[in-house]
Amino acid sequence: MKENIIQEKSFQFAVRIINLYKHLTTNKKEFILSKQILRSGTSIGANIEESIGGRSDKEFLFKLEISYKEARETIYWLKLLKATDYISVNEFESIGIEAEEICKILAKIIITLKGKM
């Protein structure tokens, strides 16, 4: 089976988000923002998985667009966590770079698909 880069990156990113959630709830006692980032950060990969199982190109594109929106939302929550000192600048830069990379890959896939449709 051919390697799917966005599928793998989104899965690894979700693992990092889950670990961030555990850190925020256990060590920082933060429960609201952590739940938000858990939802959006893990939703990226879930929607990519759904897109792969899509019945049509239109459905595939729709799910990828949702993944892109979830990635953008995750970046927002990361910025907010950094601005409120729940995560350090280094932590933000590490996971934020990954989120931005996922956004760029998804945007490129979406643009390419729309050009073919």
Side-chain angles (χ1 to χ4, degrees), residues 89-104:
V89 171
N90 288 341
E91 290 168 321
F92 170 78
E93 288 174 355
S94 173
I95 199 165
I97 288 170
E98 229 177 295
E100 289 286 350
E101 186 177 296
I102 288 170
C103 279
K104 287 177 185 176

PDB file of all heavy atoms in Angstrom, residues 89-104:
ATOM      1  N   VAL A  89       6.852  29.244  24.551  1.00  0.00           N
ATOM      2  CA  VAL A  89       7.120  29.629  23.172  1.00  0.00           C
ATOM      3  C   VAL A  89       7.726  28.438  22.424  1.00  0.00           C
ATOM      4  O   VAL A  89       7.348  28.152  21.284  1.00  0.00           O
ATOM      5  CB  VAL A  89       8.050  30.867  23.105  1.00  0.00           C
ATOM      6  CG1 VAL A  89       8.510  31.137  21.689  1.00  0.00           C
ATOM      7  CG2 VAL A  89       7.364  32.081  23.705  1.00  0.00           C
ATOM      8  N   ASN A  90       8.659  27.732  23.071  1.00  0.00           N
ATOM      9  CA  ASN A  90       9.279  26.559  22.440  1.00  0.00           C
ATOM     10  C   ASN A  90       8.254  25.464  22.144  1.00  0.00           C
ATOM     11  O   ASN A  90       8.281  24.846  21.072  1.00  0.00           O
ATOM     12  CB  ASN A  90      10.403  25.999  23.309  1.00  0.00           C
ATOM     13  CG  ASN A  90      11.617  26.888  23.318  1.00  0.00           C
ATOM     14  OD1 ASN A  90      11.802  27.727  22.440  1.00  0.00           O
ATOM     15  ND2 ASN A  90      12.457  26.721  24.319  1.00  0.00           N
ATOM     16  N   GLU A  91       7.370  25.204  23.087  1.00  0.00           N
ATOM     17  CA  GLU A  91       6.323  24.208  22.866  1.00  0.00           C
ATOM     18  C   GLU A  91       5.418  24.635  21.718  1.00  0.00           C
ATOM     19  O   GLU A  91       5.069  23.827  20.852  1.00  0.00           O
ATOM     20  CB  GLU A  91       5.489  24.006  24.135  1.00  0.00           C
ATOM     21  CG  GLU A  91       6.224  23.304  25.249  1.00  0.00           C
ATOM     22  CD  GLU A  91       5.493  23.365  26.581  1.00  0.00           C
ATOM     23  OE1 GLU A  91       4.909  24.421  26.911  1.00  0.00           O
ATOM     24  OE2 GLU A  91       5.521  22.352  27.296  1.00  0.00           O
ATOM     25  N   PHE A  92       5.058  25.912  21.717  1.00  0.00           N
ATOM     26  CA  PHE A  92       4.204  26.445  20.654  1.00  0.00           C
ATOM     27  C   PHE A  92       4.873  26.297  19.295  1.00  0.00           C
ATOM     28  O   PHE A  92       4.246  25.854  18.335  1.00  0.00           O
ATOM     29  CB  PHE A  92       3.868  27.916  20.915  1.00  0.00           C
ATOM     30  CG  PHE A  92       3.191  28.568  19.747  1.00  0.00           C
ATOM     31  CD1 PHE A  92       1.849  28.350  19.490  1.00  0.00           C
ATOM     32  CD2 PHE A  92       3.905  29.406  18.896  1.00  0.00           C
ATOM     33  CE1 PHE A  92       1.224  28.935  18.403  1.00  0.00           C
ATOM     34  CE2 PHE A  92       3.291  30.005  17.813  1.00  0.00           C
ATOM     35  CZ  PHE A  92       1.944  29.765  17.565  1.00  0.00           C
ATOM     36  N   GLU A  93       6.133  26.679  19.221  1.00  0.00           N
ATOM     37  CA  GLU A  93       6.832  26.615  17.941  1.00  0.00           C
ATOM     38  C   GLU A  93       6.958  25.185  17.447  1.00  0.00           C
ATOM     39  O   GLU A  93       6.794  24.907  16.265  1.00  0.00           O
ATOM     40  CB  GLU A  93       8.197  27.292  18.040  1.00  0.00           C
ATOM     41  CG  GLU A  93       8.077  28.799  18.132  1.00  0.00           C
ATOM     42  CD  GLU A  93       9.402  29.505  18.371  1.00  0.00           C
ATOM     43  OE1 GLU A  93      10.439  28.822  18.559  1.00  0.00           O
ATOM     44  OE2 GLU A  93       9.392  30.750  18.373  1.00  0.00           O
ATOM     45  N   SER A  94       7.212  24.262  18.331  1.00  0.00           N
ATOM     46  CA  SER A  94       7.365  22.862  17.954  1.00  0.00           C
ATOM     47  C   SER A  94       6.080  22.294  17.348  1.00  0.00           C
ATOM     48  O   SER A  94       6.078  21.788  16.224  1.00  0.00           O
ATOM     49  CB  SER A  94       7.776  22.048  19.174  1.00  0.00           C
ATOM     50  OG  SER A  94       7.764  20.680  18.875  1.00  0.00           O
ATOM     51  N   ILE A  95       4.998  22.404  18.064  1.00  0.00           N
ATOM     52  CA  ILE A  95       3.738  21.824  17.589  1.00  0.00           C
ATOM     53  C   ILE A  95       3.057  22.738  16.566  1.00  0.00           C
ATOM     54  O   ILE A  95       2.365  22.277  15.665  1.00  0.00           O
ATOM     55  CB  ILE A  95       2.805  21.468  18.768  1.00  0.00           C
ATOM     56  CG1 ILE A  95       1.755  20.459  18.317  1.00  0.00           C
ATOM     57  CG2 ILE A  95       2.211  22.705  19.409  1.00  0.00           C
ATOM     58  CD1 ILE A  95       1.036  19.781  19.457  1.00  0.00           C
ATOM     59  N   GLY A  96       3.292  24.035  16.688  1.00  0.00           N
ATOM     60  CA  GLY A  96       2.711  24.994  15.743  1.00  0.00           C
ATOM     61  C   GLY A  96       3.252  24.821  14.335  1.00  0.00           C
ATOM     62  O   GLY A  96       2.511  24.924  13.357  1.00  0.00           O
ATOM     63  N   ILE A  97       4.537  24.527  14.225  1.00  0.00           N
ATOM     64  CA  ILE A  97       5.150  24.277  12.913  1.00  0.00           C
ATOM     65  C   ILE A  97       4.491  23.065  12.255  1.00  0.00           C
ATOM     66  O   ILE A  97       4.195  23.075  11.062  1.00  0.00           O
ATOM     67  CB  ILE A  97       6.679  24.081  13.046  1.00  0.00           C
ATOM     68  CG1 ILE A  97       7.346  25.420  13.351  1.00  0.00           C
ATOM     69  CG2 ILE A  97       7.272  23.433  11.798  1.00  0.00           C
ATOM     70  CD1 ILE A  97       8.815  25.314  13.737  1.00  0.00           C
ATOM     71  N   GLU A  98       4.251  22.057  13.049  1.00  0.00           N
ATOM     72  CA  GLU A  98       3.594  20.854  12.534  1.00  0.00           C
ATOM     73  C   GLU A  98       2.183  21.158  12.045  1.00  0.00           C
ATOM     74  O   GLU A  98       1.770  20.684  10.979  1.00  0.00           O
ATOM     75  CB  GLU A  98       3.522  19.810  13.656  1.00  0.00           C
ATOM     76  CG  GLU A  98       4.008  18.453  13.249  1.00  0.00           C
ATOM     77  CD  GLU A  98       3.993  17.486  14.413  1.00  0.00           C
ATOM     78  OE1 GLU A  98       4.739  17.692  15.384  1.00  0.00           O
ATOM     79  OE2 GLU A  98       3.217  16.526  14.339  1.00  0.00           O
ATOM     80  N   ALA A  99       1.446  21.952  12.813  1.00  0.00           N
ATOM     81  CA  ALA A  99       0.081  22.316  12.424  1.00  0.00           C
ATOM     82  C   ALA A  99       0.086  23.133  11.133  1.00  0.00           C
ATOM     83  O   ALA A  99      -0.750  22.913  10.239  1.00  0.00           O
ATOM     84  CB  ALA A  99      -0.593  23.105  13.548  1.00  0.00           C
ATOM     85  N   GLU A 100       1.016  24.070  11.019  1.00  0.00           N
ATOM     86  CA  GLU A 100       1.122  24.878   9.800  1.00  0.00           C
ATOM     87  C   GLU A 100       1.470  24.008   8.595  1.00  0.00           C
ATOM     88  O   GLU A 100       0.939  24.211   7.507  1.00  0.00           O
ATOM     89  CB  GLU A 100       2.176  25.976   9.968  1.00  0.00           C
ATOM     90  CG  GLU A 100       1.778  27.097  10.899  1.00  0.00           C
ATOM     91  CD  GLU A 100       0.733  28.048  10.314  1.00  0.00           C
ATOM     92  OE1 GLU A 100       0.430  27.966   9.102  1.00  0.00           O
ATOM     93  OE2 GLU A 100       0.216  28.870  11.079  1.00  0.00           O
ATOM     94  N   GLU A 101       2.346  23.046   8.792  1.00  0.00           N
ATOM     95  CA  GLU A 101       2.728  22.140   7.705  1.00  0.00           C
ATOM     96  C   GLU A 101       1.527  21.329   7.228  1.00  0.00           C
ATOM     97  O   GLU A 101       1.320  21.158   6.023  1.00  0.00           O
ATOM     98  CB  GLU A 101       3.839  21.210   8.182  1.00  0.00           C
ATOM     99  CG  GLU A 101       4.406  20.318   7.100  1.00  0.00           C
ATOM    100  CD  GLU A 101       5.545  19.463   7.616  1.00  0.00           C
ATOM    101  OE1 GLU A 101       6.581  20.026   8.016  1.00  0.00           O
ATOM    102  OE2 GLU A 101       5.390  18.228   7.610  1.00  0.00           O
ATOM    103  N   ILE A 102       0.735  20.849   8.166  1.00  0.00           N
ATOM    104  CA  ILE A 102      -0.480  20.100   7.816  1.00  0.00           C
ATOM    105  C   ILE A 102      -1.428  20.993   7.028  1.00  0.00           C
ATOM    106  O   ILE A 102      -1.998  20.568   6.019  1.00  0.00           O
ATOM    107  CB  ILE A 102      -1.140  19.511   9.081  1.00  0.00           C
ATOM    108  CG1 ILE A 102      -0.287  18.348   9.608  1.00  0.00           C
ATOM    109  CG2 ILE A 102      -2.572  19.058   8.797  1.00  0.00           C
ATOM    110  CD1 ILE A 102      -0.686  17.839  10.976  1.00  0.00           C
ATOM    111  N   CYS A 103      -1.587  22.243   7.450  1.00  0.00           N
ATOM    112  CA  CYS A 103      -2.438  23.193   6.727  1.00  0.00           C
ATOM    113  C   CYS A 103      -1.959  23.379   5.292  1.00  0.00           C
ATOM    114  O   CYS A 103      -2.756  23.384   4.353  1.00  0.00           O
ATOM    115  CB  CYS A 103      -2.457  24.548   7.423  1.00  0.00           C
ATOM    116  SG  CYS A 103      -3.576  24.653   8.811  1.00  0.00           S
ATOM    117  N   LYS A 104      -0.664  23.542   5.125  1.00  0.00           N
ATOM    118  CA  LYS A 104      -0.104  23.757   3.783  1.00  0.00           C
ATOM    119  C   LYS A 104      -0.324  22.541   2.887  1.00  0.00           C
ATOM    120  O   LYS A 104      -0.680  22.690   1.715  1.00  0.00           O
ATOM    121  CB  LYS A 104       1.379  24.090   3.879  1.00  0.00           C
ATOM    122  CG  LYS A 104       1.645  25.473   4.410  1.00  0.00           C
ATOM    123  CD  LYS A 104       3.133  25.740   4.560  1.00  0.00           C
ATOM    124  CE  LYS A 104       3.360  27.095   5.223  1.00  0.00           C
ATOM    125  NZ  LYS A 104       4.786  27.340   5.474  1.00  0.00           N
TER     126      LYS A 104
END
